[in-house]
Amino acid sequence: MKASRALILLLVLSVAGNVYLGVRARKAEERAKRAEARSIEPVYQRMLLSEDEIAELKAAGLTNPVEQLRSDLAAHSSLIPFHGEVGGTMGFYDRNGVVLLPGRYVYAPADDGHILAHTILSYDVSPGGKIEWRLLDAHLD
């Protein structure tokens, strides 16, 4: 009799454990799907500037701040503190990877086709729309 109760208890605990693990696994899969969906968001969603920051940039002379910042950065490969390898030239080629952050900061990946660098930059916009960049940190991947 005690053996059958123990067996039933073991069976109930096993089923409960499997249900619990199944729920956890489903939730983990849902989180992974949400993260994957966010990682392939359109470019315009990689912009975390507030409406006030965009208005300030427009007041400083940028007509399309998001595009102008990305384009201007692409022209400043001299900010990258690493040299290309195997004949490659380091540059800010992945415009989709550039993330415009609040406070006039930018994350921008740089590469030469062989190696990847992660950079954090800041910028100022002078009246007339002139953008000045400063490299704050860089790390080779």
Side-chain angles (χ1 to χ4, degrees):
M1 190 76 150
K2 284 186 178 182
S4 64
R5 282 187 182 172
L7 188 57
I8 291 172
L9 180 60
L10 184 60
L11 182 60
V12 168
L13 289 175
S14 176
V15 169
N18 286 336
V19 168
Y20 172 76
L21 291 175
V23 168
R24 296 274 309 212
R26 276 192 301 281
K27 287 184 179 183
E29 287 174 5
E30 290 169 5
R31 286 192 305 272
K33 284 180 185 177
R34 283 194 306 269
E36 182 179 358
R38 280 192 301 261
S39 72
I40 57 175
E41 290 175 340
V43 175
Y44 68 87
Q45 292 181 359
R46 293 184 184 254
M47 191 275 303
L48 303 174
L49 303 177
S50 70
E51 292 298 321
D52 289 341
E53 288 173 308
I54 292 172
E56 287 175 16
L57 293 170
K58 286 182 177 181
L62 299 182
T63 55
N64 185 347
V66 173
E67 281 305 308
Q68 287 174 282
L69 286 168
R70 288 188 172 130
S71 294
D72 194 72
L73 179 59
H76 286 86
S77 60
S78 62
L79 292 166
I80 304 165
F82 308 110
H83 297 289
E85 293 184 357
V86 194
T89 303
M90 292 296 280
F92 296 109
Y93 302 116
D94 182 10
R95 291 173 56 102
N96 294 341
V98 173
V99 181
L100 302 175
L101 303 166
R104 298 198 179 192
Y105 295 102
V106 172
Y107 161 79
D111 70 270
D112 70 346
H114 305 285
I115 58 173
L116 173 66
H118 303 279
T119 65
I120 300 291
L121 305 112
S122 66
Y123 63 90
D124 285 312
V125 179
S126 313
K130 183 176 181 341
I131 304 168
E132 295 180 30
W133 295 96
R134 283 181 306 285
L135 177 70
L136 301 177
D137 194 19
H139 175 73
L140 282 175
D141 198 9

